[in-house]
Amino acid sequence: MKLSYKLYPFQVNSENQKSIGDIIILHGLFGSSKNWVTVGKYLSNFGSVYTLDQRNHGESPHTNEHSIKLMSEDLEEFLSDHQIKEPILLGHSMGGLVAMYFDFTHPGFLKELIIQDIAPRSYPFAYDKEIQAMSFPLDGFSSRNGIDAEMAKYLPDTFIRQFLQMSLERMDSGEYRWKLNVAGLNQARRVFEDVFSEIVSSKTKTLFLIGGNSEYISKDDLDLIEKKFSNLLIKTIPGGGHYIHFTHQKEYLEILREDLSLIS
């Protein structure tokens, strides 16, 4: 599948500055490249940055098939089409699962793997409220405020509603639509199950960025991560949750700066 993407070209700030290579960013479930504008612009100080819309998200095509394996194959096709070799791959949540799967199935291909707040294991599809908040008909709504008020009946969390509404588009007709394939994602409820085998492991240079208060990472997950990745650095942002690239952006970018500054 041909994925939509946003490119942030390498920003040369000094004569002696060299690119560390291409950086690919994979968003999480219900996200898109729009969630990564600030991070993408910042990382372009190190190399050219591609923020991808994964299948059924953003401007990329919709399909009834949605799995970590297929998204990894989409990524492989993108890298081949753009002749990108030895990229740095950053993945958040669902994007992190795709990134780890790609690394496990393409040993030695990545220059570095950066995973945000997800572990290489199965996760339940615990997003009924999000699906319900995007499943009512949008006919007759003339404003985002009206849609938000209706969404709040299903999803009280204002932050998550605002996150979802980054995929809400007003068409030329004045009507609204979801760029997300809501029905397709609702049918893919096993997308996070049985992705990784017990025997896979990685020697790739790997950085895990974890929110200190995240519900997605347990102590057992930390033990699992240490077993799976032999060239590993784990950084925890105190007080952070699942969206530390947004809620704790200063600390998040500083960790990335320190890490990428060591790459030649």
Side-chain angles (χ1 to χ4, degrees):
M1 178 177 290
K2 304 299 181 184
L3 301 179
S4 177
Y5 68 96
K6 174 69 174 177
L7 170 62
Y8 301 90
F10 173 50
Q11 302 295 313
V12 181
N13 297 315
S14 65
E15 291 183 5
N16 297 326
Q17 187 178 6
K18 294 182 179 179
S19 169
I20 63 173
D22 295 316
I23 302 169
I24 313 294
I25 298 179
L26 301 178
H27 62 78
L29 183 67
F30 306 132
S32 74
S33 57
K34 287 179 65 176
N35 310 136
W36 293 88
V37 173
T38 300
V39 176
K41 288 180 177 178
Y42 179 81
L43 294 184
S44 69
N45 290 295
F46 298 90
S48 291
V49 181
Y50 298 82
T51 57
L52 275 53
D53 287 339
Q54 300 193 82
R55 61 171 54 206
N56 294 316
H57 294 75
E59 301 291 344
S60 286
H62 289 188
T63 171
N64 289 329
E65 296 180 307
H66 191 83
S67 70
I68 299 301
K69 180 178 183 292
L70 288 172
M71 285 183 278
S72 176
E73 291 174 359
D74 295 341
L75 172 62
E76 182 176 22
E77 182 176 350
F78 178 87
L79 295 174
S80 176
D81 288 348
H82 293 266
Q83 299 182 333
I84 296 174
K85 298 180 179 179
E86 294 189 311
I88 296 164
L89 184 57
L90 188 164
H92 171 231
S93 198
M94 178 185 75
L97 296 176
V98 175
M100 287 186 284
Y101 184 90
F102 182 88
D103 180 50
F104 289 147
T105 54
H106 298 77
F109 186 86
L110 299 178
K111 180 174 290 186
E112 182 176 4
L113 179 65
I114 302 174
I115 301 299
Q116 180 181 331
D117 210 61
I118 203 76
R121 64 167 171 89
S122 295
Y123 283 84
F125 190 92
Y127 304 100
D128 288 333
K129 291 181 179 180
E130 286 85 347
I131 293 292
Q132 290 174 346
M134 294 186 289
S135 294
F136 59 84
L138 296 179
D139 302 346
F141 285 95
S142 58
S143 70
R144 286 177 173 267
N145 287 339
I147 294 173
D148 182 64
E150 185 68 19
M151 291 178 69
K153 297 177 182 179
Y154 308 94
L155 185 62
D157 191 320
T158 302
F159 176 85
I160 299 299
R161 292 202 313 274
Q162 291 175 343
F163 165 68
L164 295 178
Q165 288 167 26
M166 292 186 75
S167 294
L168 184 64
E169 179 183 48
R170 186 169 189 171
M171 298 179 288
D172 292 339
S173 64
E175 297 178 313
Y176 288 88
R177 75 175 184 98
W178 290 105
K179 290 185 177 181
L180 294 163
N181 182 2
V182 179
L185 294 173
N186 186 36
Q187 292 172 5
R189 287 174 168 262
R190 295 180 60 87
V191 62
F192 305 133
E193 296 181 14
D194 302 323
V195 178
F196 305 103
S197 71
E198 292 298 320
I199 58 173
V200 292
S201 62
S202 171
K203 297 179 181 179
T204 302
K205 181 180 185 294
T206 304
L207 169 66
F208 269 78
L209 282 162
I210 295 170
N213 292 344
S214 173
E215 298 178 352
Y216 285 73
I217 301 290
S218 67
K219 185 181 182 302
D220 288 342
D221 289 332
L222 294 176
D223 293 338
L224 175 64
I225 290 167
E226 290 180 352
K227 291 178 181 177
K228 295 286 189 181
F229 297 91
S230 59
N231 188 4
L232 173 68
L233 177 63
I234 299 176
K235 289 285 189 177
T236 300
I237 296 181
H242 195 51
Y243 298 90
I244 45 178
H245 62 293
F246 179 78
T247 61
H248 293 67
Q249 194 169 86
K250 182 179 179 181
E251 300 97 313
Y252 182 88
L253 294 179
E254 177 59 21
I255 292 172
L256 290 180
R257 185 197 66 78
E258 291 178 355
D259 178 73
L260 298 179
S261 295
L262 299 176
I263 298 177
S264 56

